[in-house]
Amino acid sequence: MQVYFVGAGPGDPELITVKGQRLLSRADVIIYAGSLVNPALLSLAQSGAAIYNSASMTLDEVIAVMKKAVAEGKTVVRLHTGDPSIYGAIQEQMDALDKSGIQYEVIPGVSSFLATAAALKREYTLPEISQTVIITRMEGRTPVPEKEKLQSLASHEATMCIFLSVHMLDSVMQELIDGGYSPDTPVAIVQKASWPEQKIFRGTLNTIGKIALDGGVDRTAMIVVGKVLDTEYALSRLYAPEFGHLFRPAREDSKQ
Ligand code: SAH
């Protein structure tokens, strides 16, 4: 294998996988997504590795660098922020490599929506509150299919992690309210989750717009919406004494 798509994780350089770290430290060529990947990860590169920032490159240029390296028998790491399968634009790269008969492997990463949960110290799936996490974005220059508009997703009142949308916060909140969430539903915005400069803003669908504006929120931020952020909830069945499962029988004395 000569090309590896590697998830860099959300920012903290220690949140790359062990496998990703090993591949990065042995790569001859590294192409990283410069706008979001923490440059500290590049210090893992071996001396002499060629390093490209894809922020200023087109798809064709990225593929050309990969092809040339492969032809020279070199190993390439394509480093994407978070997990590459989420808004990573890797499909078009993989398809181009397929066309050229170049083999590749994908190494997953810790997505920013997970680092966000960690920062908030909340669980996205609470019994009887929400058992579903919707990963989505507001329509911007990239269109969103009609059935996935925020307003229709909001009708589920599930936990939502909204990427790429904090600069349109007021419209996001309006669509969610129009779609069915109550205006007092809790919202959190985590900016640069897992980076030293991480910031958390909390409010409700009604109040978060002003709170984020006053706090000067910038683009690298995740919006989380849902009752899981702040609620009473039923305890998990998994650890309930009367609930037996494959690895632990139910305790008779706790059955009522
Ligand atoms: N593949 C990435 C997402 C890339 S899209 C992943 O799995 O996380 C870029 C968007 O991700 C940003 O607009 C922001 O919404 C979110 N994002 C990326 N890094 C983040 C971080 N450290 N904290 C909060 N949001 C982040």
Side-chain angles (χ1 to χ4, degrees):
M1 202 69 60
Q2 283 183 278
V3 177
Y4 296 91
F5 292 90
V6 174
D12 178 348
E14 290 193 322
L15 289 178
I16 191 172
T17 62
V18 174
K19 188 165 189 171
Q21 185 182 45
R22 174 171 59 77
L23 292 166
L24 193 58
S25 66
R26 294 185 190 167
D28 302 304
V29 175
I30 297 167
I31 311 171
Y32 73 105
S35 53
L36 284 172
V37 167
N38 191 338
L41 278 168
L42 301 175
S43 63
L44 295 172
Q46 56 182 349
S47 62
I51 298 178
Y52 296 84
N53 179 351
S54 62
S56 58
M57 296 165 79
T58 63
L59 172 64
D60 286 347
E61 286 166 351
V62 168
I63 299 299
V65 168
M66 290 178 174
K67 279 189 184 165
K68 179 165 177 288
V70 168
E72 292 168 355
K74 294 179 174 164
T75 307
V76 181
V77 162
R78 175 67 169 114
L79 196 58
H80 281 275
T81 178
D83 182 87
S85 71
I86 300 189
Y87 307 116
I90 60 166
Q91 196 64 55
E92 57 200 33
Q93 301 174 58
M94 295 190 291
D95 291 348
L97 295 182
D98 282 338
K99 279 201 196 107
S100 306
I102 295 174
Q103 299 206 340
Y104 51 85
E105 196 177 322
V106 182
I107 316 301
V110 176
S111 179
S112 57
F113 82 97
L114 299 170
T116 293
L120 293 170
K121 302 193 172 79
R122 297 302 302 179
E123 177 174 349
Y124 287 149
T125 52
L126 289 177
E128 296 173 37
I129 305 294
S130 179
Q131 291 288 291
T132 304
V133 184
I134 297 176
I135 291 169
T136 190
R137 63 172 299 170
M138 176 102 176
E139 183 159 65
R141 275 194 298 175
T142 307
V144 168
E146 190 56 39
K147 287 183 176 168
E148 298 179 12
K149 295 275 151 72
L150 274 188
Q151 190 167 340
S152 47
L153 296 179
S155 67
H156 297 283
E157 294 183 59
T159 306
M160 264 200 196
C161 296
I162 307 173
F163 287 68
L164 296 160
S165 306
V166 82
H167 59 294
M168 299 178 278
L169 197 54
D170 288 341
S171 332
V172 171
M173 296 305 132
Q174 195 53 53
E175 282 214 31
L176 295 176
I177 293 172
D178 293 348
Y181 279 107
S182 138
D184 61 5
T185 305
V187 181
I189 296 178
V190 180
Q191 176 177 311
K192 294 211 125 183
S194 87
W195 292 69
E197 59 269 38
Q198 169 182 297
K199 262 195 197 168
I200 299 179
F201 306 90
R202 293 176 198 269
T204 64
L205 288 180
N206 251 347
T207 63
I208 195 77
K210 180 160 181 354
I211 292 168
L213 187 69
D214 292 348
V217 72
D218 80 7
R219 282 184 171 235
T220 312
M222 180 73 49
I223 308 169
V224 183
V225 183
K227 293 194 201 102
V228 292
L229 289 176
D230 144 38
T231 188
E232 301 274 308
Y233 59 93
L235 291 180
S236 140
R237 307 304 298 148
L238 189 59
Y239 297 104
E242 75 281 7
F243 185 77
H245 56 70
L246 195 55
F247 303 103
R248 178 171 55 73
R251 311 234 168 121
E252 279 304 321
D253 55 358
S254 61
K255 281 191 178 154
Q256 291 163 7

